[in-house]
Amino acid sequence: MPAKMPVLFIGHGSPMNIILDNDFTRSLGDWGARLPRPKAIMVISAHWLTDGTFVGCMDKPKTIYDFYGFPRQLYSVTYPSPGSPGEAKFVADLVNKTPVTCRQDWGLDHGAWSVLKHLFPKADIPVFQFSLDYSFNDWHPKPMQYHYDLARELADLRDRGVLIIGSGNIVHNLGILDFENMDAEPYGWAREFDEKAKKALVSGNDKALIRFETMGPSAALAVPTPDHYLPMIYAIALRQKNEPLTFTYEGFHHASISMRCFQIG
């Protein structure tokens, strides 16, 4: 039997991290070297938002350049990992909460390959993605509790040797970031919410993280939209009782993006 895989949450930040050598990207490289080798990797990225729930079932996922206005060098980088259609189809059958449909027309968006490039630079481990249902009902997205409950149905993957990675950012406000300075001093509200989230993660207070809007006025600025926050919800839903949670990186980029990363298990 394969070893039970940990669960990762990665604050992926700017696409510039694809080509930068900084303390964040170096931490990913060190982290990848410590991890057990998985049979496959499933990424839940903030950048695959769909009407319904989908899983990537292609044999050779393409590298998706879903960012604009960055240096040309970024668009020449590839991550040619194989896919894992067998594990993807297992996921489609595993989930009962909602239909999960196989897709052949996706690939790996930058929420996935920008961090995998540093974690597993050889690109020799099969990778597939699981989408985030971002459909709206009466102008409201599906609640955090819906995603949390859905994520719990994915737990069997860990025992099959599949490494599950949530890739987003706990604090992510692009509207007021300091674009020119990656190392800018973080806003007070950003640091405040990140610390509250850290405290809830350490104590295992999933209810507080699900109901993040009750964590004070900083929440509305830290999570103006749920897309980058949701991958963290999927990660914590997979934590078993008394399972350790370790922070592998803490810090901010561009004043309003928390780069906090953690490992469960």
Side-chain angles (χ1 to χ4, degrees):
M1 292 292 291
K4 185 183 188 70
M5 283 292 117
V7 177
L8 314 185
F9 173 75
I10 300 175
H12 64 247
S14 168
M16 287 301 297
N17 287 309
I18 294 167
I19 58 173
L20 291 179
D21 177 17
N22 55 31
D23 58 350
F24 167 68
T25 60
R26 288 191 294 273
S27 77
L28 293 180
D30 294 341
W31 194 3
R34 298 193 303 270
L35 288 169
R37 183 177 175 86
K39 178 172 70 172
I41 300 168
M42 185 178 80
V43 181
I44 302 162
S45 165
H47 296 281
W48 194 16
L49 307 176
T50 53
D51 184 358
T53 304
F54 298 88
V55 65
C57 294
M58 60 287 298
D59 290 311
K60 296 180 180 179
K62 62 185 177 182
T63 304
I64 300 173
Y65 303 96
D66 52 335
F67 44 82
Y68 309 94
F70 288 88
R72 291 182 63 183
Q73 182 183 354
L74 271 68
Y75 303 93
S76 65
V77 180
T78 62
Y79 193 79
S81 70
S84 186
E87 292 302 322
K89 290 171 184 174
F90 176 83
V91 171
D93 293 334
L94 178 66
V95 174
N96 294 309
K97 186 173 182 63
T98 189
V100 178
T101 305
C102 270
R103 287 268 292 266
Q104 298 288 341
D105 60 342
W106 191 242
L108 302 179
D109 62 52
H110 84 271
W113 69 268
S114 71
V115 296
L116 291 172
K117 174 186 177 294
H118 298 291
L119 280 171
F120 302 108
K122 292 182 179 180
D124 58 350
I125 301 171
V127 183
F128 65 104
Q129 286 194 226
F130 185 86
S131 80
L132 293 170
D133 185 349
Y134 215 61
S135 57
F136 283 68
N137 183 20
D138 294 329
W139 301 101
H140 294 287
K142 284 190 165 51
M144 290 286 161
Q145 188 68 53
Y146 171 89
H147 290 281
Y148 183 89
D149 294 342
L150 173 56
R152 292 182 70 84
E153 294 191 1
L154 302 170
D156 285 354
L157 286 172
R158 298 181 63 189
D159 293 315
R160 290 172 61 87
V162 177
L163 177 66
I164 301 173
I165 300 176
S167 179
N169 295 97
I170 292 174
V171 176
H172 185 265
N173 192 323
L174 296 185
I176 48 178
L177 61 73
D178 186 335
F179 185 79
E180 299 296 331
N181 184 6
M182 179 173 278
D183 297 319
E185 181 69 20
Y187 296 114
W189 56 262
R191 193 185 295 278
E192 176 185 314
F193 186 82
D194 186 65
E195 285 297 320
K196 287 182 176 181
K198 177 182 179 179
K199 183 177 180 180
L201 288 165
V202 168
S203 65
N205 189 353
D206 291 359
K207 184 178 293 186
L209 294 164
I210 292 167
R211 301 181 60 201
F212 70 91
E213 65 277 0
T214 67
M215 293 169 67
S218 60
L221 287 166
V223 190
T225 58
D227 48 347
H228 277 70
Y229 189 83
L230 278 169
M232 186 270 293
I233 293 295
Y234 278 76
I236 62 170
L238 291 161
R239 186 181 186 183
Q240 297 183 341
K241 186 176 181 181
N242 299 323
E243 200 169 20
L245 184 151
T246 305
F247 297 107
T248 61
Y249 188 82
E250 299 177 289
F252 286 82
H253 284 177
H254 299 290
S256 65
I257 300 176
S258 167
M259 304 299 292
R260 181 175 299 280
C261 302
F262 60 80
Q263 175 174 326
I264 293 168

